[in-house]
Amino acid sequence: MISNAIKIAFRNLARHKVYSLINIAGLSVGISCCLLILLHVSDEFSYDRFHQKGDRIYRMALERIYPDRRTFYAIIPSGIGEAAKDEFPEIETLVRLWQFGQTQTFRYGEQSYEESAVMFADSNFFQVFDIPLLEGDPEKVLSSPNTIILTEETAFRYFKGESALGKILETQNGNFEVVGICGNVPENSHFDFDLLASAMNLQFFIAEKDYLSFSTVTYFMLKEGADPAGLEAKFPGLVEKYASGQIQRRLGKSYAEYVAAGNGYRYFLQPLWDIHLHSQLEGEFKANGNSLYVWLFISIAFFILIIACINFMNLATARSSERAREVGIRKVLGSHRSQLILQFLVESVIISAISLVVSLVIIQFALPGFNELAGKHLNMDAGTQWWIPVLLVFTVLIVGLMAGSYPAFVLSSFEPVSVLKGAFKSTRKGTFLRNGLVVFQFGISTLLIASTAVIYQQMQFVRTKNLGFDKDFVVVIERINALEPQKAENFREEIGKIPGVLHAAISHDLPGGNFFGYFLKASPSAEIITGRGMFADEYFPETMNLEIIKGRGFSKEFNDTLSIILNETMVNALGMTDPIGKQVINPGDTPEATQILTIVGVVKDFHFQSLHEEIAGLAIISTHNPTGFRGVVPVKISPENVPATLAGIEAEWTKINPDIPFSYHFLDDQLAQLYQSEQASGKLFAAFSIIAILIASIGLFGLATFLAQQRTKEIGIRKVLGASVSQLVILLSKEITLLVLLALVISIPLTWILMDKWLEDFVYRVNVHPGVFLMAGVIALAIAWITVSYQSFKTALSNPVEALRDE
């Protein structure tokens, strides 16, 4: 019986070529999109799952509570994790990671290599994380200072297949002995490194037992059966025991007074497997994903597949009168309803299978472009992803059964007597179902169009908003900290003479980078204000086009080693109305470490963090301060002849320090990284929105074709009675127009709610404007009209004699 059903199914497909092609086209595109999205989603859910003990590994993170705000950090004081390990028996192992964000130069022989993915780790790293150690002793690696482990790919880059163990790599901060080779860190890891150095080199972090300054990412592996929630409940007591003394020394007040003033440290645990999708903290190793986007994409995959199946069902309802005669004849000849159900389901499964084969071809061509949009390296390798063949079989069956449900269970129920007497016509239920499905299709399509428009508007807002500084054509020269202070100043002066260089400065970092926590008091008895701090020289405001609204910037005409510039938010937080010339206190752990600084200027607030964050108080300290640090040279250049300007800067760098390769990036690229997840998701959202609309249009075209065929005689009679072509086109398009308008009414409120929720992630955001929905509605209507207009004009222009000669 099955073989006979298959034969008949192929005959029907061959006989109704247009119907078959429309169904296969819609389903194949829908399945392709669904599989691509599921590949992306599967990758997002796979992060850190390769760690076999991952269910017991937790990251200790911090909610830092300030009197006026709260900030969440992935980096915490280096001593607090060690204290927790000593205090709490639930913790089996502690491992800490450090990454400083500066590119470093490693030399072997005559070759120099620029490395940005360098991390420092405790010696038990490989006992906790499942990065395979290919060479070296896992019990001893990283247990001595000046030792380092290379990934397999890095080792080959350095030594071209020779044994790496025992080799010495030279750096400006000392030499490192290679003591191990490990596997490459998988892409689906929330951290990444090419070189892993011993934390024994960081004695200034480890030996001080600091409980306040943020520097390290800390992980615990809990004992079997340990309760993470119970462990978290003990953290407040840990903070009071270990940090209160340091708070007393640095801030001059008791821990109780500190908390009563609105300050606090709330440590919490993050499951390792949740970090990628559920953590957006400051100090993350790299940009994480977002669970909201993942579920949005799952919804899009589901909706696209549903839209494709709706096409099939709509065409089935439109062809119901034609298939009803077939059902009537077959029932008269003795077919049972179960046989007819089987026949219709076999047809739909075959169409689904053919569509799947076509979709696999589409995916092979689409995957490179999809990977570029998503920033991934996905593949359809069934050998390493067991779920792919299972999913393919499941897709064929589910899509086939879902798409074929209407013809199988509704058409097979027709009574042969009424059908063969010619009394059959489409039922109200069939018409209602068809109209409902069209409304659903265009409701989802409108939702996707409007959502894409809002995402685009927000990304445009992010790109074009006045951030309070000049980010265009600002070249960031890295590793200025590798030069002595006088050499750094000489370099800045020399590049300022290059044609095309407008301004140059020295600072420890730039907007979008790392701004350290900074304590200030307006007087010895005043409340502590915690803001952000940065080091910059006297040329920084001019180079970045910052607006100094009171006082002045740093100047060589003054001794500004203990001068400070504040932003408006910090001045307001300190409660000052006339701050110029006033002194503020930066408390240290000891009286010697405490600094009294003079306010010489107030800079207008600028966005030194992403637009996800509200502008915090900022203190700009001179690079000539005894604690000053130099990290980068921001250079404002002319947009004309950029390559020649960069070549001139590189030549000056090589002249001053030939041993360290020249390295730079553009500031706007650095800032773009802050919105990497939103930008990638927005591009994918737009692409799949277009495809969803395309699939809906394919189905609408097929539906319009069959509806026009059903009304051929009606159109012929109307033409004979004098109806014009325009009247007939309006008649044929009216039903579709009403359905699309109904879809708009239903989808607009839902879209408004969803996009308003998405925009909550941004402190600075656009407002959802009604014009977006008007535009989405116009586009949806235009697509619907364009789709049905061809068939409407063709039917309206047909010769009525051809339609009526059989009457």
Side-chain angles (χ1 to χ4, degrees):
M1 188 168 68
I2 293 287
S3 60
N4 185 56
I6 293 174
K7 288 179 184 178
I8 295 173
F10 276 108
R11 288 172 186 168
N12 279 330
L13 293 179
R15 185 179 304 118
H16 305 284
K17 294 182 178 62
V18 174
Y19 168 81
S20 302
L21 286 174
I22 289 174
N23 276 327
I24 291 171
L27 283 176
S28 59
V29 174
I31 292 173
S32 299
C33 291
C34 186
L35 290 177
L36 285 172
I37 291 174
L38 291 179
L39 279 174
H40 172 69
V41 166
S42 173
D43 182 71
E44 290 290 290
F45 280 125
S46 74
Y47 268 71
D48 297 307
R49 295 281 172 172
F50 58 88
H51 298 294
Q52 296 180 10
K53 302 170 187 173
D55 60 331
R56 293 196 286 138
I57 301 173
Y58 293 81
R59 183 172 73 180
M60 190 180 193
L62 170 64
E63 179 188 10
R64 177 66 171 89
I65 302 167
Y66 302 102
D68 58 341
R69 69 185 191 283
R70 294 169 182 252
T71 307
F72 292 84
Y73 294 95
I75 51 175
I76 65 173
S78 59
I80 202 76
E82 196 171 358
K85 172 66 172 66
D86 294 338
E87 291 281 335
F88 306 131
E90 297 95 326
I91 300 173
E92 180 178 314
T93 309
L94 159 75
V95 62
R96 294 166 298 180
L97 299 177
W98 289 263
Q99 190 174 53
F100 301 107
Q102 294 288 329
T103 302
Q104 300 181 51
T105 303
F106 287 78
R107 289 185 296 276
Y108 178 71
E110 299 299 320
Q111 296 294 320
S112 293
Y113 300 90
E114 296 297 290
E115 304 291 356
S116 57
V118 181
M119 290 176 61
F120 292 79
D122 286 325
S123 59
N124 58 352
F125 175 86
F126 292 98
Q127 298 168 26
V128 174
F129 296 107
D130 288 312
I131 307 295
L133 189 63
L134 307 177
E135 296 182 49
D137 186 345
E139 299 296 328
K140 296 180 179 179
V141 295
L142 304 180
S143 59
S144 301
N146 298 102
T147 56
I148 199 165
I149 291 172
L150 311 183
T151 63
E152 190 174 18
E153 185 178 284
T154 305
F156 184 81
R157 180 156 47 90
Y158 278 65
F159 305 111
K160 308 299 186 290
E162 295 180 9
S163 175
L165 294 184
K167 297 291 197 316
I168 302 298
L169 302 182
E170 299 175 1
T171 76
Q172 192 173 20
N173 299 316
N175 298 338
F176 289 83
E177 179 188 355
V178 179
V179 295
I181 305 298
C182 69
N184 299 323
V185 181
E187 288 189 13
N188 57 342
S189 170
H190 79 281
F191 60 74
D192 187 24
F193 62 83
D194 294 328
L195 302 96
L196 188 67
S198 170
M200 297 294 289
N201 281 68
L202 307 178
Q203 287 301 315
F204 55 92
F205 282 122
I206 297 172
E208 287 185 6
K209 304 298 183 188
D210 193 312
Y211 304 108
L212 293 183
S213 301
F214 309 152
S215 62
T216 178
V217 180
T218 300
Y219 301 88
F220 298 136
M221 185 167 71
L222 304 188
K223 293 179 179 178
E224 294 280 0
D227 178 21
L231 178 59
E232 272 189 356
K234 300 177 181 180
F235 289 162
L238 183 78
V239 175
E240 185 169 4
K241 179 177 180 179
Y242 285 90
S244 58
Q246 200 166 354
I247 290 172
Q248 175 77 44
R249 291 192 302 272
R250 182 177 294 185
L251 308 181
K253 61 171 60 178
S254 68
Y255 182 71
E257 292 173 322
Y258 182 68
V259 172
N263 298 285
Y265 295 80
R266 186 185 73 85
Y267 287 96
F268 59 96
L269 296 176
Q270 294 180 296
L272 178 68
W273 290 342
D274 287 354
I275 289 175
H276 177 67
L277 289 180
H278 300 279
S279 182
Q280 305 291 335
L281 313 184
E282 289 202 35
E284 298 281 2
F285 284 125
K286 59 184 183 181
N288 284 331
N290 189 312
S291 59
L292 174 62
Y293 297 155
V294 169
W295 289 111
L296 278 175
F297 282 122
I298 290 174
S299 301
I300 291 173
F302 175 75
F303 286 138
I304 285 178
L305 200 57
I306 289 293
I307 288 172
C309 292
I310 285 173
N311 287 349
F312 191 109
M313 296 172 72
N314 266 341
L315 294 178
T317 62
R319 295 183 64 225
S320 57
S321 59
E322 179 183 339
R323 298 304 299 266
R325 294 189 183 91
E326 175 189 342
V327 169
I329 293 171
R330 294 185 67 177
K331 280 192 172 183
V332 168
L333 294 176
S335 292
H336 297 291
R337 189 186 179 196
S338 59
Q339 293 174 306
L340 295 172
I341 290 174
L342 177 65
Q343 178 64 55
F344 285 123
L345 289 179
V346 166
E347 283 186 24
S348 61
V349 169
I350 287 174
I351 290 176
S352 177
I354 294 172
S355 301
L356 177 62
V357 173
V358 175
S359 72
L360 292 176
V361 176
I362 293 173
I363 288 173
Q364 292 305 312
F365 287 100
L367 200 52
F370 179 83
N371 280 331
E372 186 175 347
L373 283 176
K376 293 183 179 290
H377 297 89
L378 306 176
N379 61 72
M380 286 284 287
D381 185 1
T384 58
Q385 301 176 89
W386 61 267
W387 58 270
I388 290 179
V390 175
L391 178 65
L392 296 180
V393 174
F394 183 77
T395 300
V396 168
L397 294 176
I398 291 299
V399 172
L401 295 176
M402 186 164 51
S405 58
Y406 176 82
F409 294 100
V410 177
L411 298 185
S412 63
S413 66
F414 291 159
E415 291 297 327
V417 175
S418 59
V419 169
L420 297 177
K421 281 183 176 180
F424 172 81
K425 57 182 179 181
S426 297
T427 64
R428 288 186 61 187
K429 286 183 179 180
T431 302
F432 182 80
L433 174 64
R434 184 171 66 242
N435 291 345
L437 294 177
V438 170
V439 169
F440 180 85
Q441 279 186 311
F442 274 86
I444 295 299
S445 298
T446 305
L447 184 150
L448 293 175
I449 294 171
S451 299
T452 300
V454 173
I455 292 172
Y456 175 79
Q457 282 185 333
Q458 179 62 24
M459 290 300 98
Q460 280 294 101
F461 174 79
V462 166
R463 282 192 289 267
T464 59
K465 186 182 188 309
N466 182 2
L467 301 177
F469 62 91
D470 195 347
K471 65 182 176 65
D472 296 321
F473 294 100
V474 174
V475 180
V476 184
I477 312 301
E478 303 168 2
R479 292 201 310 278
I480 196 65
N481 58 305
L483 305 181
E484 297 173 1
Q486 189 54 53
K487 278 191 174 182
E489 181 59 28
N490 292 342
F491 173 70
R492 190 207 62 77
E493 289 179 358
E494 291 302 317
I495 63 174
K497 302 173 185 177
I498 297 172
V501 172
L502 305 179
H503 305 287
I506 297 176
S507 63
H508 98 276
D509 213 330
L510 290 174
N514 178 33
F515 285 68
F516 49 85
Y518 199 71
F519 296 116
L520 279 180
K521 296 199 297 183
S523 67
S525 60
E527 291 293 330
I528 293 289
I529 302 300
T530 305
R532 298 304 177 87
M534 72 170 296
F535 294 106
D537 69 1
E538 55 269 32
Y539 305 100
F540 185 78
E542 183 181 31
T543 301
M544 301 303 299
N545 197 24
L546 301 181
E547 183 182 349
I548 295 179
I549 55 178
K550 290 182 181 180
R552 61 175 177 84
F554 301 134
S555 172
K556 287 186 175 181
E557 297 177 6
F558 301 89
N559 180 11
D560 279 328
T561 56
L562 291 178
S563 297
I564 192 170
I565 299 171
L566 306 179
N567 71 349
E568 296 170 285
T569 299
M570 180 62 88
V571 170
N572 293 334
L574 289 167
M576 293 181 169
T577 55
D578 186 19
I580 303 303
K582 300 287 178 58
Q583 290 185 326
V584 289
I585 302 169
N586 170 230
D589 285 345
T590 63
E592 293 76 19
T594 297
Q595 287 190 341
I596 299 176
L597 305 122
T598 302
I599 303 171
V600 297
V602 176
V603 66
K604 187 176 179 63
D605 279 345
F606 64 97
H607 294 276
F608 57 92
Q609 297 172 285
S610 82
L611 296 181
H612 294 99
E613 307 288 339
E614 191 172 358
I615 294 176
L618 177 66
I620 303 176
I621 309 102
S622 172
T623 50
H624 302 292
N625 185 285
T627 62
F629 177 76
R630 297 163 179 82
V632 295
V633 175
V635 184
K636 176 66 176 178
I637 65 173
S638 169
E640 299 176 1
N641 207 359
V642 172
T645 304
L646 291 175
I649 297 173
E650 182 175 6
E652 288 299 330
W653 176 273
T654 305
K655 187 187 303 181
I656 289 177
N657 199 334
D659 295 330
I660 301 177
F662 177 67
S663 181
Y664 73 94
H665 63 271
F666 283 92
L667 179 58
D668 53 359
D669 291 335
Q670 177 175 315
L671 295 172
Q673 295 298 313
L674 300 175
Y675 314 101
Q676 183 179 357
S677 178
E678 289 86 354
Q679 288 174 342
S681 298
K683 291 176 183 177
L684 291 176
F685 209 87
F688 288 121
S689 298
I690 293 170
I691 292 170
I693 295 164
L694 174 64
I695 296 172
S697 299
I698 291 173
L700 194 61
F701 177 80
L703 182 62
T705 300
F706 284 102
L707 290 177
Q709 289 177 356
Q710 285 187 335
R711 303 182 72 171
T712 300
K713 290 183 172 59
E714 176 192 347
I715 298 302
I717 294 171
R718 287 180 179 273
K719 289 192 73 172
V720 169
L721 295 176
S724 65
V725 172
S726 59
Q727 289 174 323
L728 294 174
V729 169
I730 291 172
L731 175 69
L732 292 170
S733 304
K734 182 174 68 174
E735 182 179 353
I736 297 297
T737 301
L738 292 175
L739 294 176
V740 173
L741 289 174
L742 179 59
L744 293 177
V745 171
I746 295 172
S747 65
I748 285 174
L750 179 60
T751 308
W752 193 301
I753 293 170
L754 288 175
M755 286 297 97
D756 193 63
K757 179 69 176 175
W758 178 76
L759 287 168
E760 286 179 0
D761 282 345
F762 295 86
V763 173
Y764 303 92
R765 46 170 279 186
V766 296
N767 293 318
V768 182
H769 195 274
V772 170
F773 302 105
L774 178 62
M775 178 206 68
V778 169
I779 291 174
L781 278 172
I783 290 170
W785 285 335
I786 291 171
T787 301
V788 301
S789 62
Y790 167 78
Q791 193 60 46
S792 299
F793 275 104
K794 180 182 176 183
T795 304
L797 293 172
S798 62
N799 188 344
V801 175
E802 296 294 327
L804 300 174
R805 63 182 177 182
D806 294 329
E807 293 298 311

